[in-house]
Amino acid sequence: MTDFDVIIIGGGIAGASLGAEIAGKRRTLIVEAEDQCGYHATGRSAAFYLESYGGPEVAKLTRASGSFLSEPPADFSERGFLRVRGDVHLTRDELPELPPSVEVYPIERKELERLVPGVKPQWRRALFEPGCADIDVAALHGCFLRRFRHLGGRIETAAEVIRAERMGDSWTVFLANGSARTAPVLVNAAGAWADRVAVMAGAKPLRISPKRRTMVQLRVGRSGLKDLPLVDSADGSFYFKGEADNTVWLSPHDEIDSEPCDAAPEEVDVALAIQRFQEVVNWPIEAVERRWAGLRSFAPDRLPVYGFDSAVPGFFWCAGQGGFGIQTSPAAAMLAAALLLEEDLPPSLETIEPATYSPRRFDH
Ligand SMILES: Cc1cc2nc3c(=O)[nH]c(=O)nc-3n(C[C@H](O)[C@H](O)[C@H](O)COP(=O)(O)OP(=O)(O)OC[C@H]3O[C@@H](n4cnc5c(N)ncnc54)[C@H](O)[C@@H]3O)c2cc1C
């Protein structure tokens, strides 16, 4: 008899949401290397829900998560996790092409000035995406963990997995603290460390690459910004959104290859963010209040990976969530749970084709 039915490596949004889906049916353990779950990518996101982000196959998972995020089941959360603010996709020239399923409409200079007062003249047009919203990431992650525990799931923090061995029909997972846990199924929800965990378990890495992204909180000499739409450039060189009355969260949209690590911002990327921001609006910058960075981890085709490994028995991938892991988490967890439990997909996932996200797509 093994200690558990499933061991999930990683307590970020991916591990927590999948755990919450399966804990009622399988004895499940989440092992998290850090002292707290959510310390890495999950705790560092820009926290928005943007259906057009990531292309049509990511948009399907985002859209399928929308109603759960806005109106979750009452026993999951008494309130929704979204706060709508809309997104202005700015351009100097051509309007961007977005997945056709996403509701957007073009706006001209006058409306642009109303939505983003002080926008500089070279930004002539934009596409407006009304459905863009903030996500309360901490609350969402907390509710997944609470549901997981409520259904009998166990969480061990400060529990880095340093070795995993398949013996017969079960895995033995060895922790840095000297203990070991066993289960027939091992889930790789290790974020930036997904390939390292795969190698540890004897599986072929899928070339999931961590890429650093920088965020800056600026205080500016302009007020009334809290409800500002998300503003991004159609050429993917920056985005910012109002945070408090006179602060914004800003990113230079950087994507810098990195080893898996506790990512920190580089001065040059903070400077680049500010330079790009100053090309967009005429708001004086008063202070850099905060700066941080996190790793967004992408498979080679930039789609997430859900499913059992094709060669190593009992090794399940839940990785490569890139820059969309929060907004897709409810639907992605349902998809991953159905695949792991070998059940039919729920009706809310009728547009989803599991093969699109399977690790087997990399077999040839
Ligand atoms: C700056 C930034 C902005 C973003 N903005 C958005 C956004 O607006 N909307 C959105 O949807 N997404 C956004 N994302 C992406 C989103 O944050 C990620 O896709 C998501 O958090 C990934 O979750 P995860 O659980 O896979 O990874 P993580 O949260 O990194 O969790 C993986 C966990 O695995 C643990 N782990 C690794 N190896 C081991 C081991 N050997 N033993 C035990 N534990 C281990 C790690 O400690 C870590 O806690 C953003 C990301 C960044 C960095």
Side-chain angles (χ1 to χ4, degrees), residues 180-224:
R181 309 280 178 264
T182 56
V185 174
L186 184 59
V187 175
N188 181 1
W193 289 263
D195 267 3
R196 290 206 181 161
V197 163
V199 170
M200 207 190 292
K204 192 170 149 230
L206 298 181
R207 291 193 293 127
I208 293 183
S209 316
K211 294 176 190 292
R212 190 178 68 240
R213 171 143 299 174
T214 307
M215 300 292 302
V216 185
Q217 181 172 312
L218 290 182
R219 193 177 74 234
V220 295
R222 171 128 211 157
S223 58

Side-chain angles (χ1 to χ4, degrees), residues 316-362:
F316 189 92
W317 289 85
C318 180
Q321 287 85 352
F324 44 80
I326 314 287
Q327 64 182 33
T328 56
S329 57
M334 285 181 220
L335 167 66
L339 296 169
L340 192 150
L341 301 172
E342 296 177 339
E343 291 179 350
D344 292 337
L345 294 193
S348 61
L349 299 189
E350 65 186 7
T351 60
I352 305 293
E353 174 46 66
T356 308
Y357 313 100
S358 166
R360 290 164 198 257
R361 69 189 192 268
F362 300 113

Side-chain angles (χ1 to χ4, degrees), residues 117-141:
V119 64
K120 293 199 169 174
Q122 65 269 32
W123 303 96
R124 297 206 322 266
R125 321 175 62 196
L127 273 185
F128 188 66
E129 184 172 340
C132 174
D134 287 347
I135 309 175
D136 187 339
V137 179
L140 176 65
H141 185 228

